[in-house]
Amino acid sequence: MFFYLLMVLFFGSCKKDEVSSYGDFQTTPVVINYPSNFPDMIIPEDNMPTKEGIALGRALYYDKILSSNQTKSCSSCHDQSKAFTTFESNSLAHINLAWNNQYLWNGAVQGTLEDVMLFEVEDFFGTNIQEVNTNSNYRYLFKKAYGVDEITSKDIAYALAQFFRTLNSTDSKFDRFMRGEGNLTPEEWDGYDIFFTERGDCFHCHGTVLFHDNAFGNNGLDLDPDAGLYNITGNMNDYGKFKTPTLRNIELTAPYMHDGRFETLEEVISFYSFGVKHDSPNLSPLMKYSADGGVQLSQQEAEHLIAFLKTLTDYTFINNTSLSDPN
């Protein structure tokens, strides 16, 4: 069934807000375009996208003023050239998060982008709100975007969420292939077949247009796994479960797994071929495994699967100047 869903051609989808005025300022509504085969983007009515809000969020994303000691920004751990992550941080990439409702490797935050951005401001960064309020540039920008005289954590979170809704990767080689704008090589076609069939068994967790299932699972890394989602829910059935990452731009987002144990795609495919721990507690029922530890891809099959995974690299996304540092 999902083969037919995947083959739907891409068309723009958008949502628009009414013009709002704040004193001498008037916000400019923005249409966020995305392919029609993507799920609807859920946007809270009190934070509809505007030119001013997105520009403000973009400025904050690259500004170290967010951190309590002003030593790090979002971009410190999320480099655009690496699809908005870094090797050193092993942070989940900032890709298409507008379609997520569960965030972080262990699921510590659920809800909307506004919810996870509030967590980032208050808990992760510990932003000094007074420092932002004494910055004349930000006082002006927040007044222009939200009509506020006193900036709060919520205001900062809302502005960041607006920018995050523009961090959308939809123009990889695979996307263009799906639009009928190109074809795959024989090796990529074979990798496609391995990915989307029981041979590679990748599609159960990564088969949607987002290339993740927005869920948590234990993929059999260890017999005694890290606690993961259990630390949030306290439910023993969640022990060892971690968020499924998107495979979009996976070529650029090493290292892999929640603890960054694998540095290359070759290591990842080798694990799924021969290294799955059958007796790991709460092992996902979606995992296909054999007596020898995995799907046992041959070297050629592994190479072709990686060739397909590399078609998910979106060079438009990583070179989009409207997402880069505005300074």
Side-chain angles (χ1 to χ4, degrees):
M1 166 65 91
F2 79 85
F3 281 112
Y4 293 99
L5 295 176
L6 280 176
M7 291 306 293
V8 176
L9 292 177
F10 289 3
F11 294 97
S13 178
C14 62
K15 196 169 184 179
K16 185 181 289 187
D17 190 19
E18 298 297 324
V19 172
S20 297
S21 297
Y22 302 120
D24 296 332
F25 301 112
Q26 181 171 287
T27 57
T28 309
V30 168
V31 172
I32 299 179
N33 292 302
Y34 53 90
S36 63
N37 64 332
F38 272 55
D40 290 338
M41 183 182 289
I42 298 174
I43 305 175
E45 290 295 329
D46 64 345
N47 198 29
M48 299 301 290
T50 65
K51 178 180 178 181
E52 295 75 18
I54 292 169
L56 173 54
R58 179 184 176 190
L60 289 165
Y61 189 91
Y62 287 96
D63 197 333
K64 294 179 180 178
I65 199 172
L66 283 184
S67 63
S68 58
N69 56 8
Q70 299 190 25
T71 59
K72 288 186 177 182
S73 65
C74 297
S75 61
S76 297
C77 296
H78 298 276
D79 184 340
Q80 184 176 7
S81 69
K82 300 297 183 184
F84 291 99
T85 187
T86 59
F87 188 92
E88 294 77 16
S89 70
N90 191 38
S91 301
L92 284 165
H94 289 164
I95 301 170
N96 299 343
L97 292 185
W99 289 280
N100 283 231
N101 56 32
Q102 303 183 94
Y103 305 91
L104 309 181
W105 281 111
N106 65 357
V109 182
Q110 299 186 13
T112 65
L113 277 172
E114 284 73 14
D115 294 316
V116 70
M117 290 302 107
L118 189 61
F119 166 84
E120 295 290 330
V121 172
E122 294 184 339
D123 296 284
F124 182 77
F125 281 119
T127 303
N128 184 335
I129 304 302
Q130 185 59 32
E131 194 72 33
V132 181
N133 271 289
T134 57
N135 184 297
S136 59
N137 183 51
Y138 279 122
R139 289 183 66 86
Y140 170 79
L141 292 175
F142 273 97
K143 181 70 172 180
K144 187 177 179 182
Y146 288 104
V148 297
D149 293 311
E150 187 72 16
I151 303 163
T152 67
S153 296
K154 177 183 175 182
D155 297 322
I156 297 173
Y158 270 45
L160 285 168
Q162 288 220 25
F163 178 61
F164 268 74
R165 288 195 172 92
T166 69
L167 295 175
N168 301 326
S169 177
T170 63
D171 194 40
S172 65
K173 180 178 181 178
F174 179 72
D175 293 315
R176 294 194 298 275
F177 159 69
M178 296 299 293
R179 296 196 298 260
E181 297 171 3
N183 209 339
L184 304 181
T185 67
E187 292 77 15
E188 292 164 352
W189 263 115
D190 188 44
Y192 173 103
D193 185 64
I194 293 168
F195 186 96
F196 286 115
T197 65
E198 300 292 343
R199 181 68 192 104
D201 205 33
C202 310
F203 70 93
H204 283 127
C205 297
H206 300 283
T208 71
V209 70
L210 298 172
F211 284 89
H212 69 82
D213 58 6
N214 199 32
F216 295 80
N218 175 5
N219 60 351
L221 283 171
D222 300 295
L223 292 176
D224 182 20
D226 295 335
L229 185 61
Y230 167 80
N231 281 338
I232 307 304
T233 67
N235 185 340
M236 281 303 299
N237 291 326
D238 291 331
Y239 202 92
K241 294 181 179 180
F242 289 88
K243 183 174 173 60
T244 306
T246 181
L247 297 187
R248 283 184 172 272
N249 297 291
I250 193 68
E251 177 185 9
L252 306 176
T253 57
Y256 306 107
M257 306 300 167
H258 71 277
D259 55 7
R261 69 179 63 188
F262 300 133
E263 296 187 4
T264 67
L265 288 174
E266 286 78 7
E267 289 177 303
V268 174
I269 303 306
S270 178
F271 162 72
Y272 283 116
S273 289
F274 307 107
V276 176
K277 305 298 188 295
H278 306 169
D279 297 326
S280 186
N282 301 316
L283 183 69
S284 171
L286 298 176
M287 292 292 296
K288 179 180 179 180
Y289 56 90
S290 71
D292 294 318
V295 293
Q296 301 183 39
L297 297 181
S298 69
Q299 182 175 341
Q300 178 175 284
E301 287 174 317
E303 290 171 355
H304 290 181
L305 177 56
I306 291 172
F308 170 71
L309 291 174
K310 289 182 177 181
T311 71
L312 304 180
T313 302
D314 185 347
Y315 294 100
T316 301
F317 179 63
I318 64 172
N319 291 296
N320 185 346
T321 57
S322 70
L323 305 179
S324 60
D325 190 341
N327 298 314

